[in-house]
Amino acid sequence: RIGPNDDQAHPPITPCQPADPQTLDGGGPLSKVYTLVLTHYLACCSTDAIGSETTLTARMGPSEDFIAKGLMITERNWLEIYEPWERWWTGEGEIPKVEVGTRFVPDSLLMNEGTTVPPELMNEVELITAMDKNGIGTDATIAQHIETIQKRSYAVRDPQQRFHPTPLGISLVEAYNNMGHQLNRPDLRRKMEAECTAVVNGHRTKNEVMTEILNHMSTVYAAVVDEANKIDVALGRHNFRRIGDAGGSSVVLERHFCTCGVCKCQMDLKQSRVEGGWGTRLLYCNTCRRGYSLPGRGSLTLAPAPAGTDMATCPICSFPVLQVLAGNGYEGNGYKLCPNCFSHPPVEHGGTPSRADFRCFSCSHSTCSFASGVKGGDTELYPCPFCVASERRGNGGVTLRKTARGGFMLACGADRNICDYAIFLPTATATAQPAKIDTGNLPANDIRYEMCAHCSNAQQSVLKLKLTWKIGSVPPHYEREHVACILCDGLLRQEMNLRLPTMGSVNLHTG
């Protein structure tokens, strides 16, 4: 049979030679699979079944009519061969083959009482049929999708092979519906798979489809992140305890530690309980019923307030700025953070959504005195040569940072107690960022950087920097912008007096 669907996953499965199923494994799995394949093949070679959806009216007495609707099969054909794996079903049952005027004697006359009942939960066959009808998955991936929803505890399968939604699954559906995206519906996935099919068939290009899908998914993802509190609300309705909520899962370290940036009420500093000890610290707002995770190590306090203000607040979200000092397992020089941005990094100011540990030194906000990050500050320019030389390969990557005076520098990402590798860029530098390659029509989040062909090799990649000079700070023959490799550029080394550190000029502790 030439069916309407072909996912190109494999050629048709057909029997190669005749065999007695009983001789394969005595009626075991091998013989059953062979019987199924053979029967399916013979059914495909048979003629179509013939039938009609019929309404049958039976009159009893002068005026009492009884009506039944169902399928009347006149010729079974391939159905005779493929039973019991397939049957012709319209949802209302099969009625006997009769003609107009046929008389019959009823076996019984019954009047039953009943009530409407909800539909049964879907079994695996019905779920696969629904997925196929909605264009979700292929023969090779449908089973994986079904396994995924069970692994993530969105649904469980009972002994009758029917799927029961879990409180977690119901909570997510409610939350997504409240956001207005209905991510539980098949529309988005169906569109994605239809576009992929269009690429396979040559109707569209890969880049066209990727650009549209990634842009759309980025919009949906950003909206979901902004309304993530609706997931908390939905989970709370189904008895999931929210982070920091009361109920014995956490203790108060300091009540009224600081104010909430949303409702301006007081938040408590808490620490969660875990088996065998203590877990993460967090700020919890009893009014908003929402918790904000904090670093596990270090001494926490409010950051010093700028002159003329009562409290240092984040200009992005109005939450108070906290200061982490040495102590409680942390021996560094200290840093500052916003409790909201720490868990929800602002993408527009250098944050990465997948990394929930955003600190002020990574932020590139232009008006915040605590923000010392730069655009591209989370991108490794090249491996730290001192860390590599000391056999600490991969532990230290050189990134772009701001200095305390507002200038720019390159520094090793390892702890300063281990490596102080640093290169200070010329004071004439107005802006600095990794040099990007123009990717044309590729998605906006597909960022690629320009590499130095001289310094890059199979063991390491060295990215170039794009520098913009301050007006009037460089000779007139200089271009306003300069793209260069810090390690080998002649202009920076010879005319701007850029100095590269040597092994003896930094504190390197190998112990």
Side-chain angles (χ1 to χ4, degrees), residues 245-259:
D245 205 351
S249 62
S250 61
V251 296
V252 177
L253 300 180
E254 184 175 340
R255 197 167 296 280
H256 297 171
F257 184 82
C258 62
T259 58

Side-chain angles (χ1 to χ4, degrees), residues 75-236:
E75 296 182 26
R76 300 188 63 82
N77 298 330
W78 72 274
L79 292 173
E80 296 282 3
I81 300 173
Y82 205 51
E83 284 185 335
W85 295 291
E86 187 72 62
R87 59 177 180 154
W88 197 350
W89 176 253
T90 62
E92 295 181 323
E94 185 177 342
I95 60 177
K97 180 182 177 182
V98 296
E99 297 178 357
V100 176
T102 300
R103 292 178 176 271
F104 67 94
V105 177
D107 293 332
S108 61
L109 295 174
L110 302 174
M111 183 176 291
N112 296 324
E113 291 186 4
T115 58
T116 58
V117 295
E120 284 192 295
L121 295 168
M122 298 183 76
N123 58 33
E124 185 167 355
V125 174
E126 293 166 340
L127 180 56
I128 292 174
T129 301
M131 293 174 68
D132 183 64
K133 180 179 179 181
N134 285 278
I136 297 177
T138 65
D139 289 346
T141 61
I142 282 179
Q144 182 180 354
H145 294 327
I146 295 175
E147 181 182 2
T148 298
I149 64 173
Q150 296 177 83
K151 279 187 175 180
R152 295 179 180 175
S153 298
Y154 299 155
V156 294
R157 181 161 44 186
D158 65 18
Q160 288 71 43
Q161 304 300 307
R162 296 191 178 276
F163 292 94
H164 297 253
T166 64
L168 175 60
I170 295 173
S171 299
L172 290 177
V173 170
E174 291 179 357
Y176 290 144
N177 286 342
N178 290 335
M179 293 176 187
H181 297 294
Q182 293 189 318
L183 295 180
N184 56 296
R185 301 292 300 167
D187 308 309
L188 184 58
R189 185 57 182 258
R190 177 172 58 225
K191 176 176 173 57
M192 291 173 56
E193 299 212 10
E195 295 290 0
C196 292
T197 302
V199 174
V200 172
N201 295 332
H203 300 151
R204 302 201 65 186
T205 66
K206 173 185 174 183
N207 288 341
E208 288 176 349
V209 171
M210 285 185 60
T211 300
E212 289 183 11
I213 291 177
L214 288 176
N215 287 340
H216 182 65
M217 294 299 293
S218 297
T219 302
V220 173
Y221 178 77
V224 170
V225 170
D226 290 340
E227 299 183 279
N229 62 304
K230 292 185 178 180
I231 298 180
D232 293 337
V233 173
L235 290 171

Side-chain angles (χ1 to χ4, degrees), residues 292-334:
Y292 301 87
S293 298
L294 298 173
R297 299 188 302 165
S299 176
L300 284 169
T301 182
L302 292 175
T309 63
D310 298 328
M311 181 186 298
T313 57
C314 173
I316 300 173
C317 58
S318 301
F319 274 75
V321 178
L322 306 184
Q323 187 171 242
V324 180
L325 302 175
N328 192 26
Y330 170 67
E331 304 299 332
N333 296 323

